[in-house]
């Protein structure tokens, strides 16, 4: 945990305690106004000294929390109650006029406090954008001490003010430019926000994802609007010498940084999987009510979320209506039958919607206390961020790396990510590889139809990807797509074998070992591809075999791999690494009893692992005692050599030779 600054405690991230509700010494309106005016003045010392500014902002937080607890500041609705209008209708006596005056004074006082509260939030946002962690803690305390009532009655319970949390997320993801051109939020700020505010509280997590969704939608709308305006004024900009390009580039950089910051918040989200994890009141910043009625706003949100689940029903109802319209021309009796069917269909649809509302109301739980709502808002927030066209490529790589394992298995409608992954594949390079992995998960687990999948995977088999950072993920994807399916056509398997063998000629030893093991498994699983290793030139034919494989083709159907041969194996038999050459000699010579290679072992090979294996093998050989000579030499040359006796081996001092001389 980060150290707290002076005048700031961790109670700032908890709801307002009973001590803030006022006691015997409640300040007057004039005292409160003068104190607010004094504290809201931000001097240069506050700008330079973070400790003094943190104490000032925290005192403002406690002052506004007390006003909210005493009912003097009402952030939602008006300060006048419904009884004021009734008092006017009862009569025009002096008591009713006094009530009207009091209500008018309350409304004006509440409007004044609202203005000061907005100014306070604006200063907090500036400090958060400047990267001050003390301001972030204070802002979290403001959200905790300013709950709103559920519905129109205070007895229904309280919830987080999503508008305050929206402003907090907006300030956190829109850092100020310090002149260095770096506009991404510091990792420490995001870590503090996640560890101390989002992760411990499930309701904060839900509304934070909702704020991310809204901010992403605003960024997308602003980009599309700017593109529309720029297209309309393109001729005018050309006449002015492109004066609007700098502003457009600046806005693009800002939206790009904000989109990346929103994605970084989502990457830290760990949502619940079951409703049982949401039953503990300690898991919420503001304890949820025991039972809550579903209002119109919540019901409309739920109906919007359920649009995806009802797409199939809508399509079926449209087909039924088309068939009914065709039958109407056959006679009056059929027209009556069609009308009856329509009435029955509308009645069934109304009963179905009524049953849905009854099911939602029967649960009696707010949306942030339902795991299905958490999964749905997670999906919507991810889709909204990935939809932003200015999302940086590095952020897109992080998202695609996170999707197959952490997002697609838990969201309510994974197939909605198919368009995002398809667009990401068109980027090329490692981004295409990561996008293809998500598409493979959607195909295998969720029934996505993607006919061009193997053609797309074939284009990724290049020598460059054998040196990429995510090559292990690429190799695992190849293994899952090729070696675990017996239904692939022979021309597809042969094309992959040829392209992999061609890449192995320039790949590192670890990649060459993986390719050879995969080709061996594929040839034994698909016997019709054995011609690649048994094709020859024919008897009495001294001419060399022509390789008809088209290495430049981007489609396995056009590569003509079955008409070629794996001559690359002969080249790999002369590889500098002994393990590669030995494995290349064994490919094609296996029998039915030879077990398949475990591809997981070959995925772990690196330069370091191969070096350690070779070093251990050499050390084991050194342990064997190998005799080098059985007689101590007397000279550098043997007795039969013409230079015998010319030079002799030096002897230590005092040692005599065989003839007794020194």
């Amino acid at each position: 945990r980060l150290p707290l600054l002076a005048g700031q405690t961790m109670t700032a991230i908890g709801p307002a305690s009973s001590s803030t509700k006022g006691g015997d010494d409640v300040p007057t309106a004039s005292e409160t106004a003068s104190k607010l005016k004094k504290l809201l003045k931000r001097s240069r010392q506050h700008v330079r000294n973070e400790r003094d500014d943190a104490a000032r902002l925290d005192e403002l937080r406690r002052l506004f929390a007390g006003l909210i607890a005493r009912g003097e500041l009402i952030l939602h609705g008006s300060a006048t109650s419904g009884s004021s209008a009734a008092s006017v209708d009862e009569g025009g006596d002096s008591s009713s006029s006094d009530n009207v005056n009091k209500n008018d004074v309350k409304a004006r006082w509440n409007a004044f406090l609202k203005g000061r509260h907005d100014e306070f939030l604006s200063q907090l946002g500036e400090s958060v954008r400047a990267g001050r962690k003390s301001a972030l803690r204070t802002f979290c305390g403001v959200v905790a001490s300013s709950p709103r009532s559920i519905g129109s009655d205070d007895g229904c319970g309280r919830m987080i003010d999503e508008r305050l949390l929206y402003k907090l997320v907006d300030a956190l993801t829109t850092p100020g430019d310090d002149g260095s051109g770096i506009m991404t939020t510091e990792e420490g700020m995001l870590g503090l926000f996640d560890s101390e505010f989002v992760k411990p509280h499930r309701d904060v997590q839900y509304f934070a994802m909702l704020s991310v969704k809204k901010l992403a939608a605003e960024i997308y709308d602003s980009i599309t609007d700017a593109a529309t305006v720029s297209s309309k004024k393109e001729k005018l900009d050309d006449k002015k010498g492109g004066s609007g390009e700098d502003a457009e580039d600046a806005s693009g950089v800002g939206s790009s940084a904000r989109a990346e910051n929103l994605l970084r918040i989502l990457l830290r989200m760990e949502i619940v999987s079951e409703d049982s994890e949401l039953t503990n009141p300690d898991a919420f910043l503001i304890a949820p009510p025991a039972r809550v009625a579903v209002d119109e706003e919540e019901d409309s949100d739920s109906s919007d979320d359920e649009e995806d689940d009802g797409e199939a029903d809508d399509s079926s109802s449209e087909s039924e209506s088309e068939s009914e319209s065709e039958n109407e021309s056959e006679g009056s009796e059929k027209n009556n039958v069609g009308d009856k069917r329509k009435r029955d269909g509308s009645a069934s649809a109304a009963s179905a919607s009524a049953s849905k509302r009854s099911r939602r109301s029967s649960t009696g739980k707010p949306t942030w206390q339902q795991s299905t709502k958490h999964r749905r808002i997670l999906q919507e927030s991810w889709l909204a961020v990935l939809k932003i066209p200015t999302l940086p490529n590095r952020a897109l790589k992080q998202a695609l790396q996170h999707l197959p394992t952490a997002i697609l298995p838990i969201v309510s409608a994974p197939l909605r990510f198919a368009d995002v992954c398809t667009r990401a594949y068109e980027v090329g390079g490692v981004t295409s590889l990561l996008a293809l992995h998500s598409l493979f998960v959607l195909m295998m687990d969720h029934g996505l139809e993607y006919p061009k999948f193997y053609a797309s995977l074939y284009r990724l088999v290049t020598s460059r990807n054998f040196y990429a950072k995510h090559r292990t993920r690429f190799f695992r994807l190849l293994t899952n797509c090729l070696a675990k399916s017996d239904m692939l056509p022979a021309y597809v398997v042969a094309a992959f074998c040829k392209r992999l063998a061609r890449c192995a000629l320039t790949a590192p030893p670890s990649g060459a070992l993986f390719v050879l093991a995969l080709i061996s498994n594929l040839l034994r699983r698909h016997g019709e591809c054995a011609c690649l290793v048994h094709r020859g030139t024919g008897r009495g034919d001294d001419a060399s075999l022509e390789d008809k494989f088209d290495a430049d083709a981007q489609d396995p159907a056009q590569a003509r791999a079955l008409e070629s041969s794996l001559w690359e194996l002969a080249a790999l038999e002369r590889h500098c690494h002994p393990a590669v050459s030995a494995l290349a000699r064994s490919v094609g010579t296996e029998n039915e009893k030879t077990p398949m290679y475990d591809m997981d072992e070959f995925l772990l090979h690196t330069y370091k692992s191969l070096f350690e294996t070779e070093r251990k093998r050499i050390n084991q050989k050194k342990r064997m005692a190998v005799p080098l000579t059985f007689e101590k030499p007397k000279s550098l040359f043997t007795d039969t050599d013409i230079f015998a006796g010319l030079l002799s081996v030096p002897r230590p001092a005092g040692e005599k030779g065989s003839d007794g001389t020194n």
Side-chain angles (χ1 to χ4, degrees):
R1 287 182 175 272
L2 299 168
L4 298 174
L5 298 179
Q8 188 178 24
T9 61
M10 284 306 298
T11 57
I13 308 184
S17 59
S18 60
S19 60
T20 60
K21 294 183 180 181
D24 298 333
D25 50 348
V26 178
T28 62
S30 59
E31 293 175 351
T32 303
S34 60
K35 189 172 184 180
L36 286 174
K37 184 178 180 180
K38 178 181 178 182
L39 291 175
L40 287 173
K41 286 184 178 180
R42 194 176 186 183
S43 62
R44 294 182 179 179
Q45 182 180 0
H46 294 146
V47 176
R48 294 192 301 265
N49 194 335
E50 180 180 357
R51 190 176 296 275
D52 294 342
D53 191 50
R56 180 184 66 89
L57 292 175
D58 191 64
E59 188 174 356
L60 279 170
R61 179 201 65 82
R62 287 187 274 110
L63 179 58
F64 280 112
L67 292 172
I68 294 174
R70 292 194 298 271
E72 297 185 37
L73 173 59
I74 301 176
L75 297 177
H76 300 277
S78 60
T80 59
S81 60
S83 60
S84 60
S87 62
V88 176
D89 295 335
E90 289 176 357
D93 53 357
S94 59
S95 61
S96 61
S97 61
D98 292 341
N99 290 332
V100 172
N101 293 332
K102 289 181 180 179
N103 290 330
D104 184 50
V105 171
K106 286 184 179 180
R108 294 172 60 186
W109 174 242
N110 187 71
F112 170 79
L113 293 178
K114 275 187 176 181
R116 305 291 78 74
H117 191 265
D118 292 339
E119 185 178 353
F120 167 55
L121 294 180
S122 177
Q123 293 185 10
L124 269 180
E126 292 179 2
S127 299
V128 171
R129 291 185 181 91
R132 293 188 173 184
K133 298 175 182 177
S134 58
L136 177 59
R137 279 197 175 99
T138 303
F139 213 142
C140 294
V142 171
V143 176
S145 59
S146 307
R148 59 172 297 185
S149 300
I150 300 177
S152 58
D153 189 7
D154 294 340
C156 294
R158 299 186 305 168
M159 58 178 286
I160 289 178
D161 190 350
E162 63 272 18
R163 287 181 288 184
L164 292 178
L165 190 57
Y166 171 85
K167 292 182 179 180
L168 171 57
V169 177
D170 185 20
L172 185 62
T173 56
T174 314
D177 191 0
D178 56 357
S180 61
I182 301 176
M183 298 183 65
T184 56
T185 306
E186 295 181 3
E187 193 67 24
M189 294 285 287
L190 294 179
L192 174 64
F193 178 68
D194 179 69
S195 61
E196 296 189 7
F197 197 52
V198 176
K199 190 173 293 183
H201 309 115
R202 293 300 180 182
D203 50 349
V204 175
Q205 184 184 74
Y206 177 84
F207 288 107
M209 290 187 291
L210 185 61
S211 300
V212 169
K213 174 187 173 182
K214 293 180 179 179
L215 287 170
E218 291 180 1
I219 296 173
Y220 178 79
D221 293 339
S222 64
I223 293 174
T224 53
D225 293 343
T228 304
V229 173
S230 62
S231 62
K232 291 181 179 179
K233 297 182 178 180
E234 184 177 1
K235 295 181 180 181
L236 296 177
D237 293 339
D238 293 338
K239 292 180 180 180
K240 294 179 181 180
S243 59
E245 291 182 357
D246 296 337
E248 185 177 355
D249 294 341
S251 62
V253 173
S255 62
S256 176
R258 291 185 65 193
E260 184 177 3
N261 292 333
L262 291 175
L263 181 63
R264 291 166 64 193
I265 291 179
L266 292 179
L267 289 172
R268 294 175 173 270
M269 292 291 179
E270 298 178 1
I271 66 171
V272 297
S273 57
E274 298 179 357
D275 287 340
S276 58
E277 301 180 21
L278 298 173
T279 57
N280 185 12
D282 295 335
F284 298 90
L285 179 66
I286 299 175
R291 195 172 187 84
V292 61
V294 181
D295 54 4
E296 295 179 358
E297 182 181 358
E298 184 179 345
D299 188 73
S300 63
D301 294 339
S302 302
S303 62
D304 293 338
D305 293 336
E306 290 173 359
E307 287 180 355
D308 300 328
D309 300 337
E311 288 179 355
D313 298 336
D314 295 339
S315 60
S316 62
S317 62
E318 290 175 2
S319 62
E320 289 177 1
S321 62
E322 291 176 0
S323 62
E324 290 172 2
S325 62
E326 293 176 357
N327 293 333
E328 286 179 356
S329 62
E330 297 180 0
S332 61
E333 293 181 9
K334 293 182 179 181
N335 288 336
N336 296 331
V337 173
D339 294 338
K340 184 177 180 180
R341 287 179 180 176
K342 290 180 180 179
R343 288 193 299 268
D344 295 340
S346 60
S348 61
S351 62
S353 61
S355 62
K356 287 181 180 179
R357 287 194 297 268
S358 63
R359 285 196 300 269
R360 285 196 297 267
S361 60
S362 63
T363 58
K365 294 181 179 179
T367 55
W368 58 94
Q369 206 176 0
Q370 302 177 31
S371 59
T372 55
K373 302 297 183 181
H374 278 258
R375 292 195 295 269
R376 187 165 295 161
I377 193 60
L378 177 69
Q379 169 185 299
E380 297 299 328
S381 58
W382 269 88
L383 289 173
V385 173
L386 294 177
K387 189 180 179 181
I388 300 175
T390 58
L391 185 68
N393 193 24
R394 62 176 181 272
L396 182 59
K397 290 180 182 179
Q398 293 179 354
L400 294 174
Q401 191 175 358
H402 198 69
L403 276 179
T405 57
I407 303 301
L408 296 180
I410 61 176
V411 295
S412 57
L415 291 178
R416 294 188 60 184
F417 289 87
D419 293 338
V420 175
C421 297
T422 304
R423 291 195 304 267
Y425 173 77
E426 300 175 357
V427 176
V430 180
T431 307
S432 300
L433 189 154
L434 298 175
L436 210 60
H437 187 192
S438 299
L439 288 173
F440 177 73
V441 173
L442 292 176
M443 289 173 56
M444 299 300 295
D445 299 338
H446 305 285
L448 175 67
E449 295 183 1
Y450 189 65
K452 298 182 180 180
F453 175 79
Y454 282 96
S456 303
L457 181 63
Y458 183 77
R459 288 192 289 269
L460 290 179
V461 182
T462 59
S463 300
R464 181 180 180 181
N465 284 336
F466 279 77
Y467 295 90
K469 178 180 179 181
H470 302 283
R471 59 182 177 273
T472 303
R473 184 188 294 265
F474 176 50
F475 292 160
R476 185 173 286 107
L477 179 63
L478 277 175
T479 303
N480 295 333
C481 297
L482 300 176
K484 295 185 179 181
S485 177
D486 296 331
M487 305 300 293
L488 293 178
Y491 72 89
V492 173
V493 178
F496 273 96
C497 289
K498 278 292 297 181
R499 189 147 183 160
L500 285 170
R502 189 67 60 86
C503 293
L505 297 177
T506 57
S510 58
L513 288 174
F514 168 81
V515 167
L516 292 172
L518 182 59
I519 291 177
S520 177
N521 289 348
L522 291 176
L523 293 178
R524 282 181 283 171
R525 187 179 292 272
H526 301 271
E528 59 273 17
C529 296
C531 59
L532 296 176
V533 293
H534 297 299
R535 178 174 284 121
T537 58
R539 295 183 178 180
D541 190 2
D542 296 335
S544 60
L545 181 65
E546 180 183 0
D547 190 1
K548 297 182 179 181
F549 174 70
D550 186 4
D552 297 330
Q554 299 299 321
D555 191 350
Q558 302 174 0
R560 303 177 63 184
L562 284 174
E563 304 176 25
S564 179
S565 65
L566 288 174
W567 58 263
E568 293 87 357
L569 296 178
L572 291 174
E573 290 179 4
R574 297 170 176 82
H575 199 276
C576 61
H577 199 282
V580 177
S581 60
L583 187 57
R585 285 191 294 268
S586 66
V587 176
T589 62
E590 302 91 350
N591 52 32
E592 297 179 355
K593 297 182 179 180
T594 305
M596 294 285 184
Y597 289 107
D598 186 6
M599 299 307 301
D600 291 337
E601 296 181 359
F602 290 89
L603 290 174
L604 302 177
H605 281 317
T606 59
Y607 274 113
K608 183 178 181 180
S609 63
L610 293 177
F611 177 80
E612 291 296 329
T613 302
E614 189 68 16
R615 185 180 62 83
K616 291 179 181 178
R617 186 179 64 85
I618 295 176
N619 290 339
Q620 290 178 356
K621 285 186 177 181
K622 287 183 177 181
R623 294 176 184 176
M624 301 174 60
V626 180
L628 300 178
T629 182
F630 60 92
E631 184 179 357
K632 186 176 181 180
K634 299 179 181 179
S635 62
L636 296 178
F637 306 101
T638 60
D639 296 338
T640 59
D641 194 276
I642 59 175
F643 296 104
L646 183 61
L647 297 174
S648 60
V649 178
R651 292 189 296 273
E655 182 179 353
K656 296 181 179 181
S658 58
D659 55 355
T661 60
N662 291 331

